[in-house]
Amino acid sequence: MLTRTGGILFLGLLAIQFLLQTSVNTAVVGFLPPRAAAELGETLGLTLPVSGTVGTVLFLCTFALSSVYFVVLSRALTRPLAELSTFPADLITRRLGRATLAMIGGGMLVAVSVTAGLMMLVLPGVFLATCFLFFVFAVSVEDRGVIDALKRSWRLSRGNRLKLGVVVILSGIADLVTGTVGSVLDLAGTPVVADLVSNTVSSVLFVFLYGTIAAAYLQVRDDEQDGFDGSGTPQSMGGAVADP
């Protein structure tokens, strides 16, 4: 968090969060009748003086930009700590288009499956979120395709799912805290301040959590390469060696 890389990632995420929030608010207000838009605009917070169509286009562009951000984030945080004082161009330029498309397609699959799991008494959703926790790293760092990255994440999480599930739950708690802060400020009649505070707090917690997930990814990946399974038990010498 206190390195140059951490600072850049935080500011980038903060900008994306504000763009997403503003574009959604603008799209909602823009498609309402003028009177209803004026009333709702007072409670929504950040909006832009443009049409709903422009707001929708801005949202779609920002959504694509957020996928680019996830690729860069994963690559940046999986470097050695000593290298985090730099932010080389290859974090962005290396196979960015392919990785971004895989991130969008696979991200939608993960989101749908986790959401469906959460609707089935919550625990299936937490389990699936845990199993696919390393999907972004398999795509961004290992340059894998969607299906291969999903399989890779599932394999890496095996034997570590209880610990990784704690990280998923902590992420949910962080979202709950951020949402609560925003709701309280909304009730206080300060929707713009609510957006500013909630997005800032969310960005700080998100980068911190993804730093933790990146460290977990490196640990289980290195353990697998060294011939250990998730429980720390040496694998059979005759077993298949995972590709790096």
Side-chain angles (χ1 to χ4, degrees):
M1 286 294 293
L2 300 179
T3 63
R4 183 185 181 209
T5 293
I8 291 174
L9 292 173
F10 166 71
L11 292 176
L13 180 60
L14 192 61
I16 290 173
Q17 294 268 58
F18 282 128
L19 282 172
L20 284 173
Q21 183 76 62
T22 303
S23 61
V24 169
N25 291 347
T26 301
V28 170
V29 171
F31 287 114
L32 291 175
R35 183 174 178 179
E39 294 176 354
L40 185 60
E42 296 177 357
T43 61
L44 272 184
L46 297 170
T47 57
L48 293 173
V50 296
S51 67
T53 301
V54 174
T56 302
V57 172
L58 179 60
F59 168 76
L60 294 175
C61 291
T62 307
F63 176 77
L65 180 61
S66 68
S67 297
V68 174
Y69 175 85
F70 271 103
V71 173
V72 176
L73 172 83
S74 303
R75 292 172 177 175
L77 291 181
T78 49
R79 296 179 298 153
L81 184 61
E83 297 181 12
L84 297 187
S85 60
T86 63
F87 203 85
D90 68 332
L91 295 177
I92 302 174
T93 58
R94 180 170 63 86
R95 296 183 179 181
L96 183 63
R98 179 178 181 273
T100 300
L101 290 176
M103 190 70 69
I104 293 174
M108 293 177 66
L109 289 175
V110 171
V112 170
S113 62
V114 170
T115 300
L118 289 173
M119 296 173 65
M120 297 167 56
L121 302 178
V122 179
L123 286 180
V126 174
F127 173 76
L128 290 174
T130 301
C131 292
F132 297 135
L133 194 62
F134 298 135
F135 167 78
V136 293
F137 298 98
V139 167
S140 307
V141 179
E142 302 181 15
D143 295 322
R144 296 175 183 265
V146 173
I147 302 302
D148 195 20
L150 291 171
K151 292 180 179 179
R152 174 68 166 160
S153 180
W154 190 282
R155 187 166 64 250
L156 285 175
S157 69
R158 187 181 298 128
N160 300 284
R161 287 170 183 157
L162 185 60
K163 296 177 182 179
L164 295 174
V166 173
V167 177
V168 171
I169 292 172
L170 287 176
S171 177
I173 292 174
D175 288 340
L176 180 62
V177 170
T178 304
T180 301
V181 171
S183 297
V184 170
L185 292 174
D186 278 336
L187 291 174
T190 54
V192 174
V193 175
D195 286 348
L196 293 173
V197 173
S198 60
N199 285 328
T200 301
V201 172
S202 175
S203 297
V204 172
L205 293 176
F206 181 88
V207 175
F208 175 79
L209 282 168
Y210 250 82
T212 303
I213 297 170
Y217 161 75
L218 291 174
Q219 181 179 338
V220 297
R221 185 194 67 178
D222 293 345
D223 284 349
E224 185 183 57
Q225 291 174 359
D226 290 340
F228 287 84
D229 61 20
S231 62
T233 304
Q235 295 175 355
S236 169
M237 294 299 293
V241 178
D243 50 352

